Amino acid sequence: VIDRLTPERRSALMRNVKSRDTTPERTVRSLLHRLGYRFRLQKKDLPGTPDIVLPRHRSVVLVNGCYWHGHSCRNGRLPKSRLDFWGPKIRANRQRDRRNLRDLSTAGWRVLVIWQCEVKQEKALRKRLLAFLREKCRSTI
Ligand SMILES: [Zn+2]
């Protein structure tokens, strides 16, 4: 994949990716809502200020952008240009993700990580959410 974006354009794109109210996150929220689960958004007192928190289930759902969080799928591939710039940033994000996951787990929270590329497959996503909230599966990065 050739990176055709200018550095400025990519920076703008990354700012968008990083912003909280992304479409994949909205999709997951509305699905949870339809399944009858109630949740809170961005509990600031939890490690990493997780996106979706279900206090009654002591559970957290994280919706990760593939690029920004360095997923192993094709969307998570780094651009060939400016690799020196984005490489360390995304590595740092991944390190922070792992630390947050560990801290949440230590504090007794169950964590489900959903990747942006998984959100489009609604049937599979619904299955995973239900399995997780019925405490039948665990997920790590
Ligand atoms: Zn992905």
Side-chain angles (χ1 to χ4, degrees):
V1 179
I2 299 165
D3 183 30
R4 291 175 198 282
L5 298 173
T6 64
E8 293 73 27
R9 179 74 191 96
R10 181 164 285 283
S11 292
L13 197 73
M14 287 305 113
R15 271 197 299 279
N16 281 338
V17 169
K18 208 185 175 185
S19 80
R20 285 282 177 177
D21 202 28
T22 55
T23 305
E25 196 194 311
R26 265 206 304 270
T27 306
V28 174
R29 285 207 308 257
S30 83
L31 185 55
L32 275 173
H33 196 83
R34 270 181 285 147
L35 292 170
Y37 288 99
R38 296 298 169 258
F39 47 87
R40 283 195 243 158
L41 301 177
Q42 295 188 35
K43 256 174 95 51
K44 297 239 184 330
D45 54 332
L46 289 181
T49 318
D51 301 320
I52 301 168
V53 180
L54 297 100
R56 280 180 57 195
H57 297 264
R58 197 124 180 113
S59 296
V60 162
V61 178
L62 303 173
V63 185
N64 282 354
C66 294
Y67 185 86
W68 194 250
H69 294 267
H71 195 204
S72 55
C73 73
R74 60 191 295 268
N75 300 324
R77 267 187 224 149
L78 286 167
K80 289 200 174 83
S81 69
R82 304 251 299 163
L83 194 62
D84 53 333
F85 180 71
W86 289 112
K89 268 187 192 298
I90 287 164
R91 265 197 300 281
N93 284 344
R94 284 189 56 79
Q95 262 170 24
R96 195 175 48 230
D97 286 346
R98 276 196 292 270
R99 199 171 51 236
N100 288 337
L101 215 60
R102 200 186 48 220
D103 291 349
L104 281 166
S105 172
T106 303
W109 290 84
R110 301 170 66 245
V111 183
L112 178 67
V113 176
I114 293 171
W115 293 93
Q116 181 187 357
C117 62
E118 297 168 335
V119 170
K120 279 179 191 157
Q121 293 161 336
E122 195 185 302
K123 238 179 164 175
L125 179 62
R126 184 192 298 131
K127 247 184 167 168
R128 271 187 77 199
L129 284 169
L130 285 174
F132 172 69
L133 291 168
R134 288 166 183 165
E135 309 201 1
K136 284 176 184 159
C137 84
R138 233 161 238 284
S139 177
T140 51
I141 282 186

